[in-house]
Amino acid sequence: MPTVTLIEAVTMAMDHEMSVDEDVVVLGEDVGRNGGVFRATDGLQEKHGEDRVIDTPLAEAMIAGLSVGMAAQGMKPIAELQFMGFMFPAFNQIVTGAARLRNRTRGRLSVPLVVRMPYGGGIHAPEHHSESTEALFAHIPGLKVVTPSSPARAYGLLLAAIRDPDPVIFLEPKRIYRMVKQEIEDDGEAYPLETCFIDREGDDVTLVSWGATMHETLLAADELADEGISCEVIDIATIAPLDMPTIFDSVEKTGRVVIVQEAAKTGGVGSEIAAEISEHRLMSLIAPIGRVAGYDAIMPLAKMERHYMPQVVRITDEVKKVMDYS
Amino acid sequence: MPTVTLIEAVTMAMDHEMSVDEDVVVLGEDVGRNGGVFRATDGLQEKHGEDRVIDTPLAEAMIAGLSVGMAAQGMKPIAELQFMGFMFPAFNQIVTGAARLRNRTRGRLSVPLVVRMPYGGGIHAPEHHSESTEALFAHIPGLKVVTPSSPARAYGLLLAAIRDPDPVIFLEPKRIYRMVKQEIEDDGEAYPLETCFIDREGDDVTLVSWGATMHETLLAADELADEGISCEVIDIATIAPLDMPTIFDSVEKTGRVVIVQEAAKTGGVGSEIAAEISEHRLMSLIAPIGRVAGYDAIMPLAKMERHYMPQVVRITDEVKKVMDYS
Amino acid sequence: MPTVASFEVSYLQYLDENSQAVNDLPDFAKDTNLLTGLYKDMLFARTLDYRAMSLQRMGKMGTYPGTLGQEAVGVGSGSCLGDDDVLVPYYRGSNTMIQHGVKPHELLLYWGGDERGSDFKNPRVRQDFPIAVPIATQCLHAAGVATAMKARGQTGRAVLTEIGEGGTSEGEFYEALNVAGVWNLPLVCVINNNQWAISVPAEMQTACETFAQKGIAAGIESLQVDGNDVIAVKDAVGRAMEKARSGGGPTLIEAICYRLCDHTTADDASRYDDPEAREEAWAKEPLKRLGDYLVNLGAVTKKQLEEFEVEAKEAVEKEVEIYFDTILNNPQPVGAMFDYLYAELPEKTKAQREEVIARDLRAREGG
Amino acid sequence: MPTVASFEVSYLQYLDENSQAVNDLPDFAKDTNLLTGLYKDMLFARTLDYRAMSLQRMGKMGTYPGTLGQEAVGVGSGSCLGDDDVLVPYYRGSNTMIQHGVKPHELLLYWGGDERGSDFKNPRVRQDFPIAVPIATQCLHAAGVATAMKARGQTGRAVLTEIGEGGTSEGEFYEALNVAGVWNLPLVCVINNNQWAISVPAEMQTACETFAQKGIAAGIESLQVDGNDVIAVKDAVGRAMEKARSGGGPTLIEAICYRLCDHTTADDASRYDDPEAREEAWAKEPLKRLGDYLVNLGAVTKKQLEEFEVEAKEAVEKEVEIYFDTILNNPQPVGAMFDYLYAELPEKTKAQREEVIARDLRAREGG
Ligand SMILES: Cc1ncc(C[n+]2csc(CCOP(=O)(O)OP(=O)(O)O)c2C)c(N)n1
Ligand SMILES: Cc1ncc(C[n+]2csc(CCOP(=O)(O)OP(=O)(O)O)c2C)c(N)n1
Ligand SMILES: [Mg+2]
Ligand SMILES: [Mg+2]
């Protein structure tokens, strides 16, 4: 079994699916000869040819809109947008095009499309390269939104996304692209979408996160364990549609929740999770729902970005606050 | 005092501010000779001239991007986007351009811009003409998002928006454009932003809404009063940044909350309000937080749209559920 | 300064304003039966238009974008579509769509506010896109369909898309042409230059003297045709489609006509249109143009033209009947709001579907 | 088919690859002091570039987009900017910005990850836009600034903006040119055609034989210049700016050169660039071009050129010192993250500001 990083797992999943399904094609800026600015498509063009790993002109609306047309013909495009900060020109096509075609035509046409993009901060990248705006996609009916927090999940969830008959926004937490390696069998086994993963069982408090901040969340859980606080840690993995039952079960057990997100706090995915809990499991709660999040500020440039992001200490502080609540 | 509809109040506010501030200009598709497809700019070009009420080419990104440039020079553009469904091409310029310029330049340049757009369903409009995606703007630091629920508020809040030194997204609930008339003095008095309005005082449950659904929410409160349920009704008016203290005070009093929004439930502004309450006033709650919202489906075409939207009966049902909770 | 590149835009017209042939007609146009067929199709278009507007006025349909004065653009272009071609229309594309095989009552359903109007039942058009309301987005979808055809080596197929002259100001229009050019896609894009984008006249959209020249920015063949002359439209689009099908790449065609109706039923053009300009435009309109030509030629009589009108009305009425029958006797169940969102409805959303169905049931049972 | 419109794109060059004058030089170029100044400015640009890259390699700066081989485009264009003009640069516009008056250390600050680098202190450039990273967005800002100038009747002012040849595939580029055309805005747009958009060569962006011809789609004057010839760049941009200032409207200028560096410090061009093509391009590069010309002319000696290098290094080092001094001795307080979001921080956000400050304090106090 190869031992791979998260980004290598992304490549592996695309490679696998391109090998077994000739309708799968990859397109985007610099995905071909260059193998992607992060190298997510490294080697794919050499192996699958220029017709299936396509360097496009520089235009994100075009990449998305073109993909809608291709998908409507039964192809399965995997479109790469270079950074989430550059998805905005494509947003029109994603929302008014991709998300709606099946519904608009009562199922006559559909859009089996994956739009991949790296997101999040912490790598000292230039301006507009570090944002986390997954909540914008999560509000749009017709889309699915997925983000992996480990190489194995990247592989399994991306396979699921490619095979999904509907548009999936696949968000890659670039800060952890190369953080850890994992042994993964390249066996084409997909993971289920709309399913949370319980990464650590615990009794005192439920920590919910996704993507790169799973890393800090698990570290916080470790630290807290040393202090005698037992955390259950959930990786939601599919941001939309959310698997709330898994979270509800945990909340019933622990009665306390802290949600960790890198995105700006207001209107983030964490707010939706908190709202669902306050609607459906309010009476299980024995403490306020904590949200550790990026501030409601514009992601600062490199020199200050670490202050913006949820660090381990912010998580442990919040958990202690929630634990101390009475 | 003239008796005006909400849309006439919008026109009145623009007219007033154009008369007293020569930096204020109006631009958009069909805003000039035609006076806007809803007639919001009716008569403005005749009065203020073609140089200040400008018919643009048909391109929303352009309207927004141009406005950023104009605003950086100290002009105060009021840009009209014809329908919220057509704001998506402009979203890039609003998010990466308008919302950030002050922050990016440490205050050297700023964007005193208002982007107006009609939103919401219920008028049997064609496809893409009926959506409510205010939550997308509300998540973006650097923006303010405002929506009026009455002619007086339209006038006062739009004046505030125009005078605000930063970009304000001004959302006009088109379903109630002409629903009621109100006497308004054209005195140039602005209303404060970031301030909720308490439209009805009550003790049993707090109803929170904004825009067109304030209408159904108030009707529901009337009906419920007949049944002996006393509702406090809050119009948030400024969607971002939210005036939570006013809502918190009400929740402390009533212990019960139902939020009413027309937008799709998941990831809507209602989720943020619920999350804030569950973080800061959890222990005031004696019942789960109810959310009456548009479904997580694509806004249907005219024949089915009424089923999509929050009707009075859905609100009264939810309030009763919350009241019956024990 | 040496010249490193030069370009020309040409203009195609066969029948002039007085219905006189100004050029050698293309072969198809020597077949007067075929021309009579085109005339009848344009007449059907106009009849449907008037009927749809009257339905709207009676509150029996939603907003409707008429095609008055633009029948030659839609019918001429649409008549060039083969079984294997794909049409990616814009909202004023009714006539193009009908030419390819979309049922007129489907269009009534769509504009009447019923999603089933985009579930085209004719196998010939199952791959066609539904109407695009967000302007210019369709151009990219069309380029995508063309990309799929090319990737799969499907010569013999091509894509037709259309846009208004106002829509050419949108960046997505240009992005689509640009990629079509560089990838040599089998795509034909027709600009319906009807002089107006709602109230904004064409000369306020761009400084260009022609809309066709916008194709030069994409390096693709571009030309102008008289959009009131269905023969010119059909000839230009037909040749462009044939070129596209055989690997020759994309073409941009500007068809010049005049929007003789309001923008939609929600508009009142008298607020901004000049009555004289409109009067002038009426003199050039496409039905008169072809009708006079056929009468002058002796191919049809004036009396026959009148008979065609009766036939058209009958044909339209049949479509209106199906429309009414569908919305009155066979409305969509409310659950349909959820049934096509995804191939399979997410768990999270199932309760909402049940709620909307239960509420509807309760309301019907007289709650 | 009659031709209804025709267009030409011309090419401007004064010094050829061998530094020979191929055209009568414009007046300014007869002033060898001025030319020597331009040479020094290009040399400063190159020196700064190398230094910034070495800083990045040492981990003392962030990603940096070099301008090697493109010095004539930036210096030539920027030298045409007057006190009242506004520059709306793109991310590879360092040299244009410096020409107008942005301090080189401000650029280092920006790319070093400090927002204060966009708070240009020189009064001459207080109205200039900061660097635009989202490609093509700057073109619309530039058109907006030009709209303000026009609306206020400020003749004598004009706006310069720039974009890469890859960026011309974005719709917003085209939208900006189109509105500039139809409103006759005082706008000059320079395309830095450096042959590459990261790894994608120019011929994969578009089927156009020139990028200049994209202006034809906007109905505006468009031309090509030799982007390795600073005289040609300065002449073309200077005349275009003058035209814009005096109400003559917009111009699109394609400057052809070659990106002799990696896309940014995060890139490795050897993965895709052809060493031979790069070798060829080195022979045409702008410093050699002008230096040889000045030496041949006898205006400067080879030895002087070497002295210029020393001077340039010293000047760059001064800027680097200010950069280090600022980030090390005068870093931004963490609250700054909130201080420029709005003119006044919303109530809702104040607690967050306090939190970040308190946390920072605690961390410093050794938490
Ligand atoms: C992106 C977008 N912006 C605005 C609109 C609203 N709108 C509908 S039609 C129209 C005018 C279009 O004019 P043109 O492109 O010339 O086409 P025509 O209607 O004349 O056929 C506008 C502004 C829209 N549908 N989509
Ligand atoms: C909207 C957007 N998409 C993608 C990127 C990422 N990106 C940065 S530079 C670049 C290539 C640009 O090439 P070109 O326009 O030729 O300019 P050059 O870098 O060669 O000067 C890309 C794709 C971006 N910054 N903005
Ligand atoms: Mg038109
Ligand atoms: Mg380039």
Side-chain angles (χ1 to χ4, degrees):
Chain A
M1 279 205 292
T3 304
V4 297
T5 59
L6 195 155
I7 190 164
E8 287 163 348
V10 165
T11 318
M12 221 164 87
M14 288 191 281
D15 187 19
H16 184 279
E17 216 49 18
M18 293 191 82
S19 304
V20 300
D21 185 346
E22 64 177 17
D23 284 328
V24 178
V25 297
V26 167
L27 74 165
E29 295 158 10
D30 303 288
V31 298
R33 177 101 77 99
N34 196 37
V37 288
F38 282 101
R39 335 224 47 65
T41 55
D42 200 22
L44 295 184
Q45 191 181 65
E46 259 171 39
K47 184 161 169 193
H48 301 284
E50 289 187 12
D51 292 344
R52 295 186 63 203
V53 183
I54 309 165
D55 276 323
T56 64
L58 203 174
E60 291 75 15
M62 189 219 71
I63 293 169
L66 211 70
S67 297
V68 171
M70 293 165 77
Q73 282 286 304
M75 297 189 83
K76 296 178 189 160
I78 307 175
E80 175 174 308
L81 300 181
Q82 218 156 62
F83 286 88
M84 188 189 249
F86 310 136
M87 74 86 177
F88 294 99
F91 201 53
N92 187 32
Q93 283 289 348
I94 291 172
V95 175
T96 71
R100 288 174 166 248
L101 194 60
R102 179 189 291 278
N103 187 68
R104 300 181 63 217
T105 60
R106 304 285 93 168
R108 181 171 60 85
L109 298 175
S110 61
V111 183
L113 162 68
V114 178
V115 184
R116 296 176 40 242
M117 65 192 87
Y119 81 113
I123 63 161
H124 288 221
E127 209 174 355
H128 299 283
H129 286 67
S130 302
E131 281 73 9
S132 298
T133 47
E134 65 273 17
L136 303 182
F137 295 114
H139 186 47
I140 306 296
L143 296 180
K144 293 179 184 172
V145 187
V146 176
T147 187
S149 66
S150 72
R153 277 175 210 164
Y155 181 77
L157 293 170
L158 183 50
L159 283 178
I162 301 171
R163 292 173 195 166
D164 196 277
D166 292 301
V168 180
I169 308 297
F170 193 81
L171 305 174
E172 299 172 7
K174 61 175 162 319
R175 181 158 59 89
I176 60 169
Y177 256 161
R178 296 182 172 86
M179 190 181 263
V180 287
K181 291 199 168 209
Q182 228 174 348
E183 279 205 341
I184 302 179
E185 185 107 57
D186 188 6
D187 57 4
E189 284 289 328
Y191 281 9
L193 301 184
E194 203 183 354
T195 306
C196 293
F197 297 90
I198 299 176
D199 275 356
R200 182 183 179 121
E201 303 210 352
D203 301 313
D204 295 331
V205 55
T206 303
L207 306 188
V208 182
S209 192
W210 54 94
T213 48
M214 279 304 295
H215 180 70
E216 284 73 30
T217 306
L218 285 165
L219 284 179
D222 279 347
E223 274 190 27
L224 290 161
D226 292 343
E227 302 185 34
I229 299 174
S230 162
C231 301
E232 180 135 313
V233 181
I234 296 179
D235 172 13
I236 61 171
T238 302
I239 292 174
L242 271 167
D243 165 21
M244 285 308 302
T246 301
I247 299 174
F248 289 155
D249 287 351
S250 182
V251 173
E252 279 175 23
K253 180 167 67 168
T254 63
R256 296 183 180 89
V257 192
V258 171
I259 304 161
V260 183
Q261 75 182 25
E262 192 173 310
K265 184 173 183 180
T266 295
V269 172
S271 306
E272 175 61 23
I273 296 171
E276 282 283 305
I277 295 170
S278 68
E279 182 171 349
H280 297 289
R281 287 300 181 280
L282 187 86
M283 293 307 150
S284 301
L285 291 175
I286 53 183
I289 301 177
R291 280 177 294 160
V292 177
Y295 296 112
D296 290 321
I298 289 160
M299 167 59 88
L301 294 189
K303 288 260 175 278
M304 243 172 8
E305 69 174 336
R306 74 177 186 288
H307 294 286
Y308 178 88
M309 294 172 39
Q311 297 140 313
V312 175
V313 59
R314 286 183 59 196
I315 304 171
T316 51
D317 281 358
E318 186 70 24
V319 169
K320 286 178 207 160
K321 204 172 106 190
V322 163
M323 289 304 298
D324 289 349
Y325 191 85
S326 60
Chain B
M1 280 206 292
T3 304
V4 298
T5 60
L6 195 155
I7 191 165
E8 287 163 349
V10 165
T11 317
M12 221 163 88
M14 289 191 282
D15 187 18
H16 184 280
E17 216 50 16
M18 293 191 82
S19 303
V20 300
D21 184 346
E22 65 177 15
D23 284 327
V24 178
V25 297
V26 166
L27 74 167
E29 296 157 11
D30 303 289
V31 297
R33 176 101 78 100
N34 196 37
V37 288
F38 282 101
R39 334 224 46 67
T41 55
D42 201 20
L44 294 183
Q45 190 181 66
E46 259 171 39
K47 183 160 169 192
H48 301 284
E50 289 188 12
D51 291 345
R52 295 185 65 202
V53 182
I54 309 165
D55 276 322
T56 65
L58 203 173
E60 291 76 14
M62 188 218 72
I63 293 169
L66 209 72
S67 297
V68 170
M70 292 165 77
Q73 282 286 304
M75 299 189 81
K76 296 177 187 160
I78 306 175
E80 174 173 309
L81 299 180
Q82 216 154 63
F83 286 88
M84 187 187 250
F86 309 136
M87 75 86 179
F88 293 100
F91 200 53
N92 186 33
Q93 284 288 350
I94 291 172
V95 175
T96 71
R100 289 175 165 247
L101 194 60
R102 178 189 291 278
N103 187 68
R104 298 181 63 218
T105 60
R106 304 284 94 169
R108 181 172 59 86
L109 298 175
S110 61
V111 183
L113 162 68
V114 178
V115 184
R116 295 176 41 240
M117 65 193 87
Y119 81 113
I123 63 159
H124 288 219
E127 208 172 356
H128 299 283
H129 286 68
S130 302
E131 280 73 9
S132 299
T133 48
E134 65 273 17
L136 304 181
F137 295 114
H139 186 47
I140 305 298
L143 295 181
K144 293 179 184 171
V145 187
V146 176
T147 187
S149 67
S150 72
R153 276 174 211 165
Y155 181 77
L157 293 170
L158 183 50
L159 283 179
I162 301 171
R163 291 173 195 168
D164 196 278
D166 292 302
V168 179
I169 309 297
F170 193 82
L171 305 175
E172 299 171 8
K174 60 174 165 309
R175 181 158 59 88
I176 59 168
Y177 257 160
R178 296 181 171 85
M179 190 182 265
V180 286
K181 292 201 169 209
Q182 227 174 348
E183 279 203 344
I184 302 179
E185 185 108 58
D186 188 7
D187 56 4
E189 284 289 327
Y191 281 10
L193 301 183
E194 203 182 350
T195 306
C196 293
F197 296 90
I198 300 176
D199 276 355
R200 182 182 178 121
E201 303 211 352
D203 301 313
D204 294 331
V205 55
T206 303
L207 307 188
V208 181
S209 193
W210 55 93
T213 47
M214 278 304 296
H215 179 70
E216 283 73 30
T217 305
L218 286 165
L219 284 179
D222 280 345
E223 275 191 26
L224 290 161
D226 293 344
E227 303 185 35
I229 300 173
S230 161
C231 301
E232 180 135 312
V233 181
I234 296 179
D235 172 13
I236 61 171
T238 302
I239 293 173
L242 269 167
D243 164 20
M244 286 308 301
T246 301
I247 298 174
F248 289 156
D249 287 351
S250 181
V251 173
E252 279 175 23
K253 178 167 69 170
T254 63
R256 295 184 179 88
V257 192
V258 170
I259 303 160
V260 183
Q261 75 181 25
E262 191 174 310
K265 184 172 183 179
T266 295
V269 172
S271 306
E272 175 60 23
I273 296 171
E276 282 283 305
I277 296 170
S278 69
E279 183 171 347
H280 298 289
R281 288 298 182 281
L282 186 86
M283 293 309 150
S284 301
L285 289 175
I286 53 183
I289 301 178
R291 280 177 294 159
V292 177
Y295 295 111
D296 289 322
I298 289 161
M299 167 60 87
L301 295 189
K303 288 258 174 280
M304 238 166 18
E305 68 174 335
R306 73 178 187 286
H307 295 287
Y308 179 86
M309 293 172 37
Q311 296 141 311
V312 174
V313 59
R314 286 182 60 197
I315 304 171
T316 52
D317 282 359
E318 187 70 23
V319 169
K320 286 179 207 162
K321 206 171 105 189
V322 163
M323 289 303 299
D324 288 349
Y325 190 85
S326 59
Chain C
M1 291 203 272
T3 296
V4 287
S6 56
F7 310 94
E8 291 190 346
V9 174
S10 61
Y11 177 79
L12 183 66
Q13 185 190 54
Y14 288 107
L15 298 185
D16 72 7
E17 297 179 33
N18 304 313
S19 301
Q20 302 298 316
V22 290
N23 268 311
D24 275 352
L25 294 193
D27 279 347
F28 74 81
K30 292 171 185 153
D31 177 349
T32 52
N33 282 335
L34 189 152
L35 293 188
T36 307
L38 289 174
Y39 181 85
K40 286 184 182 177
D41 290 344
M42 293 198 291
L43 184 61
F44 179 88
R46 186 164 294 183
T47 312
L48 178 66
D49 232 58
Y50 281 125
R51 187 67 174 102
M53 292 195 211
S54 88
L55 285 172
Q56 192 279 335
R57 269 194 306 274
M58 296 185 302
K60 297 188 166 163
M61 251 221 351
T63 307
Y64 192 84
T67 63
L68 205 63
Q70 304 147 78
E71 296 88 350
V73 179
V75 169
S77 308
S79 73
C80 302
L81 287 163
D83 287 352
D84 296 333
D85 297 325
V86 172
L87 172 64
V88 185
Y90 89 129
Y91 51 84
R92 212 181 292 284
S94 323
N95 302 329
T96 330
M97 296 166 80
I98 292 171
Q99 283 294 309
H100 199 211
V102 173
K103 301 295 178 206
H105 66 262
E106 292 175 329
L107 286 160
L108 295 176
L109 277 171
Y110 176 78
W111 291 111
D114 187 319
E115 283 84 355
R116 291 174 299 180
S118 294
D119 183 15
F120 312 144
K121 292 300 183 198
N122 182 347
R124 197 172 188 244
V125 293
R126 288 294 286 173
Q127 294 184 40
D128 283 7
F129 262 63
I131 277 171
V133 168
I135 290 176
T137 57
Q138 74 277 11
C139 300
L140 285 167
H141 304 154
V145 173
T147 302
M149 290 175 179
K150 183 148 194 256
R152 288 167 164 171
Q154 299 168 338
T155 48
R157 300 186 75 193
V159 186
L160 176 68
T161 192
E162 39 185 21
I163 190 168
E165 90 294 337
T168 67
S169 296
E170 291 276 7
E172 296 192 17
F173 160 76
Y174 160 77
E175 291 186 6
L177 292 189
N178 188 56
V179 72
V182 70
W183 291 356
N184 200 41
L185 297 178
L187 178 71
V188 177
C189 178
V190 173
I191 300 172
N192 173 2
N193 179 359
N194 63 8
Q195 311 302 329
W196 295 98
I198 309 187
S199 71
V200 180
E203 66 271 18
M204 287 176 68
Q205 288 296 337
T206 186
C208 291
E209 56 255 70
T210 68
F211 283 88
Q213 79 200 53
K214 289 174 181 274
I216 296 172
I220 70 180
E221 190 190 338
S222 308
L223 74 161
Q224 246 186 4
V225 302
D226 182 342
N228 287 315
D229 174 6
V230 71
I231 301 176
V233 174
K234 186 174 168 62
D235 184 49
V237 175
R239 280 191 283 138
M241 288 293 289
E242 204 35 55
K243 179 183 88 171
R245 285 184 203 109
S246 59
T251 311
L252 177 66
I253 297 169
E254 174 192 0
I256 303 176
C257 60
Y258 201 96
R259 198 193 77 208
L260 289 169
C261 50
D262 293 335
H263 168 67
T264 64
T265 49
D267 177 50
D268 174 7
S270 72
R271 276 203 297 262
Y272 50 81
D273 195 359
D274 171 10
E276 266 175 49
R278 193 176 267 233
E279 197 58 36
E280 262 176 53
W282 266 110
K284 303 183 189 171
E285 64 92 0
L287 266 87
K288 186 171 170 307
R289 178 88 51 105
L290 184 60
D292 285 358
Y293 175 74
L294 289 170
V295 170
N296 292 347
L297 212 65
V300 295
T301 62
K302 292 216 166 189
K303 181 143 181 301
Q304 272 179 304
L305 292 188
E306 280 163 26
E307 285 163 16
F308 295 166
E309 278 191 38
V310 177
E311 282 168 29
K313 280 203 177 113
E314 283 168 7
V316 165
E317 232 35 58
K318 279 198 187 131
E319 297 292 330
V320 172
E321 268 167 39
I322 304 177
Y323 166 62
F324 278 127
D325 183 57
T326 309
I327 56 170
L328 298 176
N329 304 325
N330 179 26
Q332 286 192 94
V334 290
M337 187 191 305
F338 291 97
D339 292 340
Y340 308 94
L341 272 178
Y342 302 89
E344 214 180 311
L345 193 64
E347 282 305 321
K348 186 166 192 259
T349 320
K350 286 186 177 159
Q352 293 188 1
R353 183 174 184 278
E354 280 158 33
E355 179 187 337
V356 84
I357 292 172
R359 284 199 177 279
D360 181 45
L361 214 64
R362 227 182 300 154
R364 284 162 192 278
E365 283 165 358
Chain D
M1 290 202 273
T3 297
V4 286
S6 57
F7 310 93
E8 291 191 346
V9 174
S10 62
Y11 177 78
L12 182 67
Q13 187 190 53
Y14 289 107
L15 298 185
D16 72 8
E17 298 180 32
N18 304 314
S19 301
Q20 302 299 315
V22 291
N23 268 312
D24 275 352
L25 294 194
D27 279 347
F28 73 81
K30 290 167 188 157
D31 177 349
T32 54
N33 283 335
L34 189 153
L35 292 187
T36 308
L38 289 174
Y39 180 86
K40 286 184 182 176
D41 289 344
M42 294 198 292
L43 184 61
F44 179 88
R46 187 165 295 182
T47 312
L48 178 68
D49 230 59
Y50 281 126
R51 187 66 173 104
M53 291 194 213
S54 88
L55 286 172
Q56 193 280 334
R57 268 193 307 275
M58 296 184 303
K60 298 189 166 161
M61 253 224 345
T63 307
Y64 192 83
T67 62
L68 205 63
Q70 304 147 80
E71 296 89 349
V73 179
V75 169
S77 308
S79 72
C80 303
L81 287 163
D83 287 353
D84 295 334
D85 296 326
V86 172
L87 172 64
V88 185
Y90 89 130
Y91 52 84
R92 212 181 292 284
S94 323
N95 302 329
T96 330
M97 295 166 80
I98 292 171
Q99 284 295 308
H100 198 210
V102 173
K103 300 295 178 208
H105 67 261
E106 290 176 330
L107 286 159
L108 296 176
L109 277 172
Y110 176 78
W111 291 111
D114 187 320
E115 284 84 355
R116 290 173 300 179
S118 294
D119 183 15
F120 312 144
K121 292 300 185 198
N122 183 346
R124 196 172 190 244
V125 293
R126 288 293 287 172
Q127 294 185 38
D128 283 9
F129 262 63
I131 277 169
V133 167
I135 291 177
T137 56
Q138 74 277 12
C139 301
L140 285 167
H141 303 155
V145 173
T147 301
M149 290 175 180
K150 184 152 194 253
R152 288 168 164 172
Q154 300 168 337
T155 48
R157 301 186 75 192
V159 185
L160 176 68
T161 191
E162 38 184 19
I163 189 167
E165 90 294 337
T168 68
S169 296
E170 291 277 6
E172 297 191 17
F173 160 76
Y174 160 76
E175 292 185 6
L177 293 189
N178 188 56
V179 71
V182 70
W183 291 355
N184 201 42
L185 297 178
L187 178 71
V188 177
C189 178
V190 173
I191 301 172
N192 173 0
N193 179 359
N194 63 9
Q195 311 302 328
W196 295 99
I198 307 186
S199 71
V200 179
E203 65 271 19
M204 286 176 68
Q205 288 295 339
T206 185
C208 291
E209 56 255 68
T210 69
F211 283 86
Q213 78 202 52
K214 289 175 182 274
I216 296 172
I220 71 181
E221 189 190 338
S222 308
L223 75 159
Q224 247 186 5
V225 302
D226 182 341
N228 287 315
D229 175 5
V230 71
I231 301 177
V233 174
K234 185 174 168 60
D235 184 48
V237 175
R239 280 191 281 137
M241 287 294 288
E242 205 34 56
K243 179 183 85 171
R245 287 185 202 109
S246 58
T251 311
L252 177 65
I253 297 169
E254 174 191 1
I256 303 176
C257 60
Y258 200 96
R259 198 192 77 209
L260 287 169
C261 50
D262 295 334
H263 167 67
T264 64
T265 48
D267 177 50
D268 174 7
S270 72
R271 275 203 298 263
Y272 51 81
D273 194 0
D274 172 10
E276 266 174 50
R278 193 175 267 234
E279 198 59 35
E280 262 175 55
W282 266 109
K284 304 185 190 170
E285 64 91 1
L287 267 86
K288 187 173 170 307
R289 178 90 49 106
L290 184 60
D292 285 358
Y293 175 74
L294 289 170
V295 170
N296 293 346
L297 212 64
V300 295
T301 64
K302 292 218 163 185
K303 182 146 179 299
Q304 273 178 304
L305 292 187
E306 279 163 28
E307 284 163 17
F308 295 165
E309 278 190 39
V310 177
E311 283 167 30
K313 281 207 177 109
E314 283 168 8
V316 164
E317 233 34 60
K318 279 199 188 129
E319 296 291 331
V320 172
E321 269 167 40
I322 305 178
Y323 166 63
F324 278 127
D325 183 56
T326 310
I327 57 171
L328 297 176
N329 304 324
N330 180 23
Q332 287 192 95
V334 291
M337 187 191 303
F338 291 98
D339 292 340
Y340 308 94
L341 273 178
Y342 302 89
E344 214 181 312
L345 193 65
E347 282 304 320
K348 186 166 193 256
T349 319
K350 286 185 178 160
Q352 294 188 1
R353 183 174 184 278
E354 281 158 32
E355 179 187 337
V356 84
I357 293 172
R359 284 199 175 279
D360 181 45
L361 214 64
R362 228 181 300 154
R364 283 161 192 278
E365 283 165 357

